[in-house]
Amino acid sequence: MIGGGRGSFIGAVHRMAAALDGHIELVGGAFSSDPERSKLSGADLFLDPQRCYGTYQEMITTEAGLPENIRIELVSIVTPNHMHFGPAMMALDHGFHVVCDKPLCLTLDEAKQLAEKVKSSGLLFALTHNYTGYPMVKQAKQMVAHGELGHIRRVVVEYPQGWLSTALETTQQKQAAWRTDPSQSGVAGAMGDIGTHAENLIEYVTGLKIESLCADLHTHIPGRKLDDDGSVLLRFGNGARGVLCASQISAGEENNLRLRVYGEKGSLDWSQMEPNSLVARWLDKPMQVFRTGGIGLFREAEMHTRFPAGHPEGYLEAFANIYRNVAYCLQANLTNEKAHPAYFDCPTIEDGVRGMEFIEAVVKSGKDDSVKWIKF
Amino acid sequence: MIGGGRGSFIGAVHRMAAALDGHIELVGGAFSSDPERSKLSGADLFLDPQRCYGTYQEMITTEAGLPENIRIELVSIVTPNHMHFGPAMMALDHGFHVVCDKPLCLTLDEAKQLAEKVKSSGLLFALTHNYTGYPMVKQAKQMVAHGELGHIRRVVVEYPQGWLSTALETTQQKQAAWRTDPSQSGVAGAMGDIGTHAENLIEYVTGLKIESLCADLHTHIPGRKLDDDGSVLLRFGNGARGVLCASQISAGEENNLRLRVYGEKGSLDWSQMEPNSLVARWLDKPMQVFRTGGIGLFREAEMHTRFPAGHPEGYLEAFANIYRNVAYCLQANLTNEKAHPAYFDCPTIEDGVRGMEFIEAVVKSGKDDSVKWIKF
Amino acid sequence: MIGGGRGSFIGAVHRMAAALDGHIELVGGAFSSDPERSKLSGADLFLDPQRCYGTYQEMITTEAGLPENIRIELVSIVTPNHMHFGPAMMALDHGFHVVCDKPLCLTLDEAKQLAEKVKSSGLLFALTHNYTGYPMVKQAKQMVAHGELGHIRRVVVEYPQGWLSTALETTQQKQAAWRTDPSQSGVAGAMGDIGTHAENLIEYVTGLKIESLCADLHTHIPGRKLDDDGSVLLRFGNGARGVLCASQISAGEENNLRLRVYGEKGSLDWSQMEPNSLVARWLDKPMQVFRTGGIGLFREAEMHTRFPAGHPEGYLEAFANIYRNVAYCLQANLTNEKAHPAYFDCPTIEDGVRGMEFIEAVVKSGKDDSVKWIKF
Amino acid sequence: MIGGGRGSFIGAVHRMAAALDGHIELVGGAFSSDPERSKLSGADLFLDPQRCYGTYQEMITTEAGLPENIRIELVSIVTPNHMHFGPAMMALDHGFHVVCDKPLCLTLDEAKQLAEKVKSSGLLFALTHNYTGYPMVKQAKQMVAHGELGHIRRVVVEYPQGWLSTALETTQQKQAAWRTDPSQSGVAGAMGDIGTHAENLIEYVTGLKIESLCADLHTHIPGRKLDDDGSVLLRFGNGARGVLCASQISAGEENNLRLRVYGEKGSLDWSQMEPNSLVARWLDKPMQVFRTGGIGLFREAEMHTRFPAGHPEGYLEAFANIYRNVAYCLQANLTNEKAHPAYFDCPTIEDGVRGMEFIEAVVKSGKDDSVKWIKF
């Protein structure tokens, strides 16, 4: 693991997600740019001090030199955005598979270089767009793919949070500090941090591509350098229209990602904060509610559920589905076993490139009040 | 009453709303442009055939000639949009107070003429933006006005319906037919029919004015002449940003008007389909749910509630609050009684003018992909 | 109308419910046992002072003497329980149809006398078990009757309120005072006031009869003379089991009547506080939500709905459905018209007798800790 | 681990729960009474075949003989009820701490022997009443303990499931088969399997003891040997009254454990299927909703949360809280560290004894229609 030392949020999430199904074992890491801190973080995790490194370069070169049956196979990159590209390229160069947190990197150019490298290396690269790991998101995707909604006409995705409603970054709060710092976060604030999740969720579920967009981005907190609130009009290749909102100053909101997809025959409504229900409303029959572990689900939804219906699965289980599928993919590489294709469903480098395209387009639109539509 | 004959939807709503509190008695009307149909409609209502007229002109002139203690005081106009202006002007000319359905008329120019007439006549003119009649909407308005949310930063209002997801207007369905006919409905479809409710609700609750907008309007149903789906980016005078959506092709949606207002300190969330709860989320304290008839309400909310908490009040009770307030206003004119000002709260001709300004701006923006922001 | 003077809650509800559909006109009443107060109450309602009487006896005898085209046809009794029997008997004796608030009277013996009288008179007698007037309750009844749930195994009905969590009756609050006074309310407190609604709702929806019960009734407020909290185990004729709870000291609860019916194949779940949804859960298919005005409803539900789906109907509309059906029944008497039988669905004198049987059985069980099951 | 081989449900849950926080490592087990199956199950888990045993006796004796730095410290017992007592006694005899699934054992007598043994051994014994591990349950307990509700008057706990609505046990479904077999499950069916969770939750949250009860237990499925549906009236030491329902034939219900606690000043409402919200309703202020990871929580709730608010935690995270607290307790034994007492909160052997007392009392009451109240 690269990053995820003491005080990190997402590092712990990756560790729990990887541990959940017992397929992946954490054996070492470069948990911090401060070697001492890295060792202490490793000790917290009962790891061999020998394998707790002071830099990712040291980790990758050292591990690459270990015997195959000992050395790591997979590197998880859980650092801030500006520290994704370097570690990812180097890990791939040394033959390690990669799981990387989102967004992919800082620029579309970096993203394309990474995509090239992944392609040429033949290694696995998974991006943790974890919200696509929810069973009811899989169900929604299948219902759309099977034409149950008919032609898609309208898509609404919103991702309001309230935690940046104050200048939290001025209080040494680590999560806020790097996310509002262009040198670590990139050109986008809320749009990069959560807007890309929203964009990925739309395209994952509907299979449609956003073709052009028109954004109004704003920074409400004086002195903040990146957008903290934005709304975007969307046009899709098939003629559908939509709206994407991503805000971190929506005071009182927790982590309220919600997707609604409207087709000719009916619509779907899913909320991350009550993730085990998928509401389907129809023109010609009563409203239905599909439930995690419940009845009438596609195999793709069933295969990403661990418990019987009514035993709520949450954020961590969805996140763990990404890691579990990574493990299945790696096993399949080794064994050529023929598992159900649904097991090989995890966000790819292409999703990462797409996210960077979105960030560049939405920031460009947000900065320019003279042009209405930006193609991308 | 003008309009509201057999087969009308909103006419019956106005009659029930007016009857609910026993302050207003329906004594006659021009219920249809077909005199025979008008008489039959009046007979359904147990009215004196003498006072069921074949045209609104006949009604207004005849009633104006009746002794003061017998003749009508108030005219309700519940016709399609193109039949608002003429009846309203004539009623005001003959000294009758007017309740008119929304939107006010067909053009901003008509709207301004009506506003002039109302002003010069000194008569009461109420527009049935009925959603402002809900107790929890009154509560929201007061919470914002009292600064409980602090400076308002973001407003999201959505009004999805699904009933026009098919070409219903081709099936002789009366409600669909006139709403999709520019000659009866005006330049806007969904934006005029329900978008104006959304616009009115935002400005009523927040007290803010939309300063500029950027719209994407679309017609999904082939052959339909007016917009049936639209999304609008909003900028407000105080720097707040927002989104307004109005759609009638959101398959499966019923009448799902929802308003969210985000301020520095917290946010409010209200849905018309569960109108007796107002959710307040805060940065510094637990989420609260205010309830119709419940505890901790402003007088303005309490005074628009009829029953103890838990006896659900709905669409009709909110609509009746407009009529009840009209009755209070007329009584106050007669008696100079000093009632609580909250009783004199009903949508005005200015709300109607504002609605027409919105329609003209949003349609202009929707038609023009080269200009991003339209001031209004 | 008998009762319902100034300060009454349910009297105003009856008036609004009767006025809503324009079929019934209030022409007079004995609104209070205090003649002066009765006249003032009538004046509030713009009634002819001549027809605002000081006693119900005066009203009934005087009205009976008026010409048929003038005199009242129907008497609404909205007094406390101890004042139901006398007025009802006298009204029936003089040939007036009766709408009476629940519970029917003070004792099972009175109830049986009334039932006899109704039968011999051939007049209409409707009891305002208003909760059966909700469209989704009609839908539930039809779904059970059509066997959609299969054999019914379990029924749970709860009716928690919190408004008597303090000794409100000691504060001159009129509603609390008579409901906690055995001389006005009868032998039961919460079980009579709201428990009978719960009992009626179960038997109305399921068509089953409670065969025996085992109750734990309690009075939590020192000095209160009647039960304010109770739970009852139920056994039904068909072998089904169930629970009925009625409490007025459930602090924080509003008016939270809820019914769940479990059959072999699935279950239904309805809550009065969100009355426009009926949730159906199934063994073999996804959960469904039926909606007032929505799709897939039985005619019986559709015919008790006034607006399109999403225009919430509430307590008053359900209450008005009782009055509207009374009006249809009376019209049918006059005209022998053949309307759909669903229109002739309103709670009867038999429901009233059944309610008194329930009160006597539940109070007997509540008083006796030595006998487990009371048949009734 | 004892039990939890292929085809087990709860075994996998225990493994994931133990792995989640990285404090506990699974090193071996007797996963099945079939040695071959036990080895295969261990292989699925990448365990050393040497430590996958054919019997629990073999496991305990062998492990007890291993060097201290290698041998297991803690035994998890995840077998059907009839296989709890033997393994637990033997594990304690050999100095191993125990985590045991609920209910504790088959009889109150066994339970008391185990309690004696735990006491004399000084070892840790934790019972997985996992629902007490939810943060909002901790919050509810603290709110009651701090008197926020005042004197508790009424408690309602329900635990409906529908999965045994058919004779599933006749289809070789392993979970159904043992739960409906008295020789493996004990004298109670639904009341033992889920009723004990409900009983434990009540007493955990309120701190009250059930003093007497009156039960109606029934078996709806022909041929089933144990209760599958029951309702119980409750009386508490402090004078509070209540109801407990546990049903496994409530068709369509998933795992719908819900607790409501009513006090003098307000009430709490928590549902396991939406576990991250705790609703508080008050006599004197607006309704509040406390949220996992949110604002205004007691430390006890905060310390059992892993993620920021809005990242839903579920069944597994609550279950893992039991294991995490077990790990903290064992660490504290070793290090005498002074952690916050809330960390040492996990269900004890006393909870297990209490559960067996409940089972014996409720089954006795259910069998006897002549006695109303059973003390316990």
Side-chain angles (χ1 to χ4, degrees):
Chain A
M1 172 168 282
I2 297 170
R6 291 180 171 182
S8 149
F9 156 57
I10 206 67
V13 172
H14 279 255
R15 283 191 294 266
M16 288 187 270
L20 196 59
D21 295 294
H23 296 152
I24 293 170
E25 189 184 5
L26 176 65
V27 292
F31 299 104
S32 169
S33 46
D34 164 356
E36 189 44 42
R37 187 187 186 80
S38 182
K39 291 250 180 269
L40 290 170
S41 302
D44 295 344
L45 305 168
F46 312 106
L47 296 178
D48 174 357
Q50 296 301 317
R51 299 179 78 173
C52 299
Y53 305 91
T55 67
Y56 74 83
Q57 294 90 339
E58 180 194 353
M59 179 184 98
I60 292 172
T61 46
T62 311
E63 290 287 330
L66 296 176
E68 203 179 326
N69 64 328
I70 291 172
R71 72 162 174 252
I72 57 176
E73 289 169 77
L74 174 68
V75 173
S76 287
I77 301 171
V78 300
T79 44
N81 305 346
H82 69 302
M83 286 293 290
H84 290 179
F85 179 74
M89 287 299 270
M90 187 174 176
L92 293 164
D93 271 330
H94 289 71
F96 297 119
H97 303 288
V98 173
V99 172
C100 183
D101 210 72
K102 43 52 54 185
L104 179 55
C105 46
L106 286 190
T107 67
L108 179 55
D109 176 63
E110 283 183 357
K112 289 175 171 169
Q113 292 178 56
L114 271 170
E116 264 317 300
K117 173 66 66 176
V118 172
K119 197 167 161 212
S120 58
S121 69
L123 293 162
L124 177 78
F125 189 99
L127 197 72
T128 50
H129 275 306
N130 51 289
Y131 298 111
T132 64
Y134 277 110
M136 290 302 96
V137 170
K138 307 285 188 190
Q139 175 68 14
K141 180 183 176 68
Q142 292 305 316
M143 289 176 74
V144 173
H146 285 72
E148 297 191 9
L149 276 60
H151 180 79
I152 302 304
R153 290 171 170 171
R154 179 172 178 82
V155 181
V156 179
V157 64
E158 348 173 49
Y159 200 154
Q161 297 180 331
W163 68 293
L164 290 178
S165 293
T166 61
L168 194 60
E169 60 267 40
T170 63
T171 67
Q172 313 313 319
Q173 206 267 19
K174 192 177 161 180
Q175 302 304 323
W178 77 257
R179 281 181 173 79
T180 55
D181 173 1
S183 69
Q184 297 182 72
S185 192
V187 296
M191 278 294 156
D193 189 30
I194 58 177
T196 49
H197 273 309
E199 167 271 324
N200 179 257
L201 185 63
I202 285 182
E203 297 197 343
Y204 179 77
V205 169
T206 65
L208 300 175
K209 293 284 174 212
I210 302 169
E211 204 172 66
S212 54
L213 58 75
C214 170
D216 188 23
L217 305 191
H218 191 57
T219 305
H220 291 271
I221 304 301
R224 183 167 289 166
K225 297 196 188 65
L226 295 170
D227 59 285
D228 52 24
D229 182 46
S231 304
V232 190
L233 304 175
L234 305 175
R235 290 178 173 179
F236 295 89
N238 76 333
R241 306 299 176 99
V243 180
L244 180 152
C245 299
S247 172
Q248 295 181 311
I249 55 83
S250 294
E253 295 277 10
E254 296 176 345
N255 190 49
N256 200 1
L257 175 61
R258 182 183 182 195
L259 175 67
R260 284 169 286 177
V261 179
Y262 299 96
E264 289 169 310
K265 304 177 189 173
S267 54
L268 297 176
D269 188 345
W270 178 78
S271 285
Q272 191 270 153
M273 284 171 57
E274 301 297 359
N276 297 305
S277 292
L278 174 67
V279 177
R281 298 182 177 90
W282 305 102
L283 285 188
D284 64 352
K285 60 187 177 188
M287 169 178 165
Q288 293 176 300
V289 182
F290 294 90
R291 296 273 307 156
T292 300
I295 303 193
L297 300 180
F298 284 93
R299 287 279 294 135
E300 286 76 3
E302 291 173 341
M303 287 174 356
H304 291 86
T305 301
R306 289 171 179 76
F307 310 124
H311 298 74
E313 303 186 44
Y315 174 81
L316 184 62
E317 289 77 3
F319 211 114
N321 283 335
I322 307 283
Y323 270 96
R324 192 201 59 173
N325 288 354
V326 165
Y328 283 137
C329 292
L330 298 182
Q331 285 168 26
N333 286 350
L334 302 174
T335 64
N336 303 328
E337 80 193 11
K338 289 273 150 292
H340 191 291
Y343 284 125
F344 308 130
D345 170 17
C346 40
T348 65
I349 187 73
E350 287 71 29
D351 293 300
V353 173
R354 188 74 184 147
M356 296 312 299
E357 288 172 347
F358 172 75
I359 286 173
E360 298 210 345
V362 81
V363 169
K364 183 175 172 202
S365 178
K367 284 192 157 57
D368 186 346
D369 277 353
S370 69
V371 178
K372 189 168 180 179
W373 293 100
I374 302 282
K375 284 222 171 303
F376 93 99
Chain B
M1 172 168 281
I2 297 170
R6 290 179 170 184
S8 149
F9 156 57
I10 206 66
V13 172
H14 279 254
R15 283 190 294 267
M16 288 188 270
L20 197 58
D21 296 294
H23 296 154
I24 294 171
E25 188 184 6
L26 176 65
V27 292
F31 299 103
S32 168
S33 45
D34 164 356
E36 188 46 38
R37 187 187 185 80
S38 182
K39 291 247 178 275
L40 289 170
S41 302
D44 295 344
L45 305 169
F46 312 106
L47 295 178
D48 174 357
Q50 297 301 317
R51 299 179 77 174
C52 300
Y53 305 92
T55 68
Y56 73 83
Q57 294 89 340
E58 179 194 354
M59 179 185 96
I60 291 172
T61 45
T62 311
E63 289 287 331
L66 296 176
E68 202 179 324
N69 63 330
I70 290 173
R71 72 162 175 251
I72 57 177
E73 290 170 76
L74 175 68
V75 173
S76 288
I77 302 171
V78 299
T79 45
N81 306 346
H82 69 303
M83 286 292 291
H84 290 179
F85 178 74
M89 288 298 268
M90 187 173 175
L92 292 165
D93 272 330
H94 289 70
F96 298 118
H97 303 289
V98 173
V99 173
C100 184
D101 210 72
K102 43 49 58 188
L104 179 55
C105 48
L106 286 191
T107 67
L108 180 54
D109 177 61
E110 282 184 357
K112 288 176 173 169
Q113 293 177 54
L114 270 170
E116 264 316 301
K117 173 66 66 177
V118 171
K119 197 167 160 210
S120 58
S121 70
L123 294 162
L124 177 77
F125 189 99
L127 197 72
T128 50
H129 274 307
N130 50 289
Y131 298 111
T132 64
Y134 277 111
M136 290 301 97
V137 170
K138 308 286 188 190
Q139 174 69 13
K141 180 184 177 66
Q142 293 304 316
M143 289 176 74
V144 173
H146 285 73
E148 297 191 9
L149 275 63
H151 179 80
I152 301 305
R153 290 171 170 171
R154 179 171 178 81
V155 181
V156 179
V157 63
E158 348 173 49
Y159 200 155
Q161 297 180 331
W163 70 292
L164 290 178
S165 292
T166 61
L168 193 61
E169 60 267 38
T170 62
T171 67
Q172 314 312 319
Q173 206 266 19
K174 191 178 161 182
Q175 302 303 324
W178 77 256
R179 281 180 173 80
T180 56
D181 172 2
S183 69
Q184 298 181 71
S185 192
V187 296
M191 277 296 156
D193 189 31
I194 59 177
T196 48
H197 273 309
E199 167 271 323
N200 179 257
L201 185 63
I202 286 183
E203 297 197 342
Y204 179 77
V205 168
T206 65
L208 299 175
K209 294 285 172 210
I210 302 169
E211 201 172 68
S212 54
L213 57 77
C214 170
D216 188 23
L217 306 191
H218 191 58
T219 305
H220 290 271
I221 304 301
R224 182 168 289 166
K225 297 196 188 65
L226 295 171
D227 59 285
D228 53 24
D229 181 45
S231 304
V232 190
L233 304 175
L234 305 175
R235 290 180 174 179
F236 294 88
N238 76 333
R241 306 299 176 102
V243 180
L244 180 151
C245 299
S247 171
Q248 296 180 312
I249 56 82
S250 294
E253 295 277 11
E254 297 176 345
N255 191 48
N256 200 2
L257 175 61
R258 182 182 182 196
L259 175 67
R260 283 169 287 176
V261 179
Y262 299 96
E264 289 170 309
K265 303 177 189 174
S267 53
L268 296 176
D269 188 345
W270 179 79
S271 285
Q272 191 271 154
M273 284 170 57
E274 302 296 359
N276 297 305
S277 291
L278 173 67
V279 177
R281 299 182 177 92
W282 305 104
L283 285 188
D284 65 352
K285 60 187 178 188
M287 168 178 164
Q288 293 177 300
V289 182
F290 294 90
R291 295 274 305 155
T292 300
I295 304 197
L297 301 179
F298 284 93
R299 288 280 293 134
E300 285 77 1
E302 292 174 339
M303 288 177 349
H304 291 86
T305 302
R306 289 170 181 75
F307 310 124
H311 298 74
E313 302 185 46
Y315 174 80
L316 183 62
E317 289 77 3
F319 211 113
N321 283 336
I322 307 284
Y323 270 96
R324 192 203 59 173
N325 288 355
V326 164
Y328 283 137
C329 292
L330 297 182
Q331 286 168 25
N333 286 350
L334 302 173
T335 63
N336 303 329
E337 79 191 12
K338 290 274 152 289
H340 191 291
Y343 284 125
F344 308 129
D345 171 17
C346 41
T348 64
I349 186 73
E350 286 72 28
D351 293 299
V353 172
R354 188 75 185 149
M356 296 313 299
E357 288 172 347
F358 171 75
I359 286 174
E360 299 209 343
V362 82
V363 168
K364 182 175 173 202
S365 179
K367 285 191 157 55
D368 185 347
D369 278 354
S370 68
V371 177
K372 189 168 182 179
W373 293 101
I374 302 283
K375 286 223 171 303
F376 94 100
Chain C
M1 172 168 281
I2 296 170
R6 291 179 169 183
S8 149
F9 156 57
I10 206 67
V13 172
H14 279 254
R15 283 190 293 266
M16 288 187 269
L20 196 58
D21 295 294
H23 296 153
I24 293 172
E25 188 184 5
L26 176 65
V27 294
F31 299 104
S32 168
S33 46
D34 164 355
E36 189 44 40
R37 187 189 187 78
S38 182
K39 291 249 178 270
L40 290 171
S41 302
D44 295 343
L45 305 169
F46 312 106
L47 296 178
D48 173 356
Q50 297 301 318
R51 299 178 80 174
C52 299
Y53 306 92
T55 68
Y56 73 84
Q57 295 89 340
E58 179 194 354
M59 179 183 97
I60 291 172
T61 45
T62 311
E63 290 287 330
L66 296 176
E68 203 178 323
N69 63 329
I70 291 173
R71 72 164 175 251
I72 57 176
E73 290 170 77
L74 174 68
V75 173
S76 286
I77 300 172
V78 300
T79 45
N81 306 346
H82 70 302
M83 285 294 290
H84 290 179
F85 179 74
M89 288 298 269
M90 188 174 175
L92 293 165
D93 272 330
H94 289 70
F96 297 118
H97 303 288
V98 173
V99 172
C100 183
D101 210 72
K102 42 52 57 186
L104 179 55
C105 46
L106 287 190
T107 67
L108 179 55
D109 176 61
E110 282 183 358
K112 288 175 172 167
Q113 293 178 54
L114 271 171
E116 264 316 301
K117 173 68 64 177
V118 170
K119 197 167 159 211
S120 58
S121 70
L123 294 163
L124 176 78
F125 189 100
L127 196 72
T128 50
H129 275 306
N130 50 288
Y131 298 110
T132 64
Y134 278 111
M136 290 302 97
V137 170
K138 307 286 188 189
Q139 175 68 13
K141 180 184 177 66
Q142 292 304 317
M143 289 176 75
V144 173
H146 285 72
E148 297 190 8
L149 275 61
H151 179 79
I152 301 305
R153 289 171 170 172
R154 179 171 178 82
V155 181
V156 179
V157 63
E158 347 173 49
Y159 200 155
Q161 296 180 331
W163 69 291
L164 291 178
S165 292
T166 61
L168 194 60
E169 60 268 38
T170 63
T171 67
Q172 313 312 320
Q173 205 267 18
K174 191 177 162 183
Q175 303 303 323
W178 77 257
R179 280 180 174 79
T180 56
D181 172 2
S183 70
Q184 297 182 72
S185 191
V187 295
M191 278 295 157
D193 189 31
I194 58 177
T196 49
H197 274 309
E199 167 271 325
N200 179 258
L201 185 63
I202 287 183
E203 297 197 341
Y204 179 77
V205 169
T206 65
L208 299 175
K209 293 283 173 213
I210 302 169
E211 202 172 69
S212 54
L213 58 77
C214 170
D216 188 22
L217 306 190
H218 191 58
T219 304
H220 291 271
I221 305 301
R224 184 168 288 166
K225 296 195 189 67
L226 295 170
D227 59 284
D228 52 25
D229 181 45
S231 305
V232 190
L233 304 175
L234 306 174
R235 290 179 174 178
F236 295 88
N238 76 334
R241 307 298 176 101
V243 180
L244 180 152
C245 299
S247 172
Q248 295 179 311
I249 56 81
S250 293
E253 295 277 10
E254 297 176 346
N255 190 48
N256 200 0
L257 176 61
R258 182 182 182 196
L259 176 67
R260 284 169 287 175
V261 180
Y262 299 96
E264 289 170 310
K265 304 176 189 174
S267 53
L268 296 176
D269 188 345
W270 178 78
S271 285
Q272 193 270 153
M273 283 170 56
E274 302 296 0
N276 296 305
S277 292
L278 174 67
V279 177
R281 299 183 178 90
W282 305 103
L283 284 188
D284 64 353
K285 60 186 177 189
M287 169 178 164
Q288 294 176 300
V289 182
F290 294 91
R291 296 272 307 156
T292 300
I295 305 197
L297 301 180
F298 284 93
R299 287 279 295 133
E300 285 76 3
E302 292 174 338
M303 289 179 345
H304 291 84
T305 302
R306 289 171 181 76
F307 310 125
H311 298 72
E313 302 185 45
Y315 174 81
L316 184 62
E317 289 78 1
F319 210 112
N321 282 336
I322 307 284
Y323 270 95
R324 191 202 60 172
N325 288 354
V326 165
Y328 283 137
C329 293
L330 298 182
Q331 285 168 24
N333 286 350
L334 301 174
T335 63
N336 302 329
E337 80 192 13
K338 289 273 149 291
H340 190 291
Y343 285 126
F344 309 129
D345 171 16
C346 42
T348 65
I349 186 73
E350 287 71 29
D351 293 299
V353 172
R354 188 74 185 148
M356 296 313 299
E357 288 172 349
F358 171 75
I359 287 174
E360 298 210 344
V362 81
V363 168
K364 184 175 173 200
S365 178
K367 284 193 157 56
D368 184 347
D369 277 353
S370 69
V371 178
K372 189 168 180 179
W373 293 100
I374 302 283
K375 286 221 171 304
F376 93 100
Chain D
M1 173 168 280
I2 297 170
R6 290 179 170 183
S8 148
F9 156 57
I10 205 67
V13 172
H14 279 255
R15 283 191 294 266
M16 287 187 270
L20 197 59
D21 295 295
H23 296 153
I24 293 171
E25 189 184 5
L26 177 64
V27 293
F31 299 104
S32 169
S33 47
D34 163 356
E36 189 45 41
R37 187 187 185 78
S38 183
K39 291 249 180 271
L40 289 170
S41 302
D44 295 344
L45 304 169
F46 313 105
L47 295 177
D48 173 357
Q50 297 300 317
R51 299 179 79 172
C52 299
Y53 305 92
T55 67
Y56 74 84
Q57 294 91 340
E58 180 194 354
M59 178 184 98
I60 292 173
T61 46
T62 311
E63 289 287 331
L66 296 175
E68 201 179 325
N69 64 329
I70 290 172
R71 72 159 174 254
I72 58 177
E73 290 169 76
L74 174 69
V75 172
S76 286
I77 301 171
V78 300
T79 44
N81 305 346
H82 70 302
M83 286 293 290
H84 290 179
F85 179 74
M89 287 297 272
M90 188 174 175
L92 292 164
D93 272 331
H94 289 71
F96 298 118
H97 303 287
V98 173
V99 172
C100 183
D101 210 72
K102 42 53 54 187
L104 179 55
C105 47
L106 287 189
T107 66
L108 179 55
D109 177 61
E110 283 183 358
K112 288 176 172 167
Q113 291 178 56
L114 271 171
E116 264 316 302
K117 172 67 66 177
V118 171
K119 197 168 160 210
S120 58
S121 70
L123 294 162
L124 177 78
F125 189 99
L127 196 73
T128 50
H129 274 307
N130 50 289
Y131 297 111
T132 63
Y134 277 111
M136 290 301 96
V137 170
K138 307 286 188 190
Q139 174 69 13
K141 180 184 176 67
Q142 292 305 315
M143 289 176 75
V144 173
H146 285 73
E148 297 190 9
L149 275 62
H151 179 79
I152 302 304
R153 290 171 169 173
R154 179 171 179 81
V155 181
V156 179
V157 63
E158 345 173 52
Y159 200 154
Q161 296 180 332
W163 69 292
L164 291 178
S165 292
T166 61
L168 193 61
E169 61 267 38
T170 63
T171 67
Q172 314 311 319
Q173 206 266 20
K174 192 179 161 181
Q175 303 304 322
W178 78 256
R179 280 181 173 78
T180 56
D181 172 2
S183 70
Q184 297 182 70
S185 191
V187 297
M191 277 295 157
D193 189 31
I194 58 176
T196 49
H197 273 309
E199 167 271 325
N200 179 257
L201 186 63
I202 286 183
E203 297 197 343
Y204 179 76
V205 169
T206 65
L208 299 175
K209 293 285 173 211
I210 303 170
E211 202 172 67
S212 55
L213 58 76
C214 169
D216 188 22
L217 306 190
H218 191 59
T219 305
H220 290 272
I221 305 301
R224 183 166 289 166
K225 296 196 189 66
L226 294 170
D227 59 285
D228 53 24
D229 182 45
S231 304
V232 190
L233 304 175
L234 305 174
R235 290 179 174 178
F236 295 88
N238 76 332
R241 307 299 176 101
V243 180
L244 180 152
C245 299
S247 171
Q248 295 180 312
I249 55 83
S250 294
E253 295 277 10
E254 296 176 345
N255 190 48
N256 200 2
L257 175 62
R258 182 183 181 194
L259 175 67
R260 285 169 286 177
V261 179
Y262 299 96
E264 289 169 308
K265 303 177 190 172
S267 54
L268 296 176
D269 187 344
W270 179 78
S271 285
Q272 192 271 153
M273 284 170 57
E274 301 297 359
N276 296 306
S277 291
L278 174 66
V279 177
R281 299 182 177 90
W282 305 103
L283 285 188
D284 65 352
K285 60 188 177 187
M287 170 177 164
Q288 293 176 301
V289 182
F290 294 91
R291 296 275 306 157
T292 299
I295 305 197
L297 301 179
F298 284 93
R299 288 280 294 135
E300 285 77 2
E302 292 174 339
M303 288 178 347
H304 291 85
T305 302
R306 289 171 180 76
F307 310 125
H311 298 72
E313 302 186 44
Y315 175 81
L316 183 62
E317 289 78 4
F319 210 113
N321 283 336
I322 307 284
Y323 270 96
R324 191 202 60 173
N325 288 354
V326 164
Y328 283 137
C329 292
L330 297 181
Q331 285 168 24
N333 286 350
L334 301 173
T335 62
N336 303 329
E337 80 193 14
K338 289 275 152 288
H340 190 290
Y343 285 124
F344 309 129
D345 171 16
C346 40
T348 65
I349 187 73
E350 286 71 30
D351 293 298
V353 173
R354 188 74 186 149
M356 296 312 299
E357 289 172 347
F358 171 75
I359 286 174
E360 299 210 343
V362 80
V363 168
K364 183 174 173 205
S365 178
K367 283 193 159 54
D368 186 346
D369 279 352
S370 70
V371 177
K372 188 168 180 179
W373 294 100
I374 302 282
K375 285 222 171 304
F376 93 98

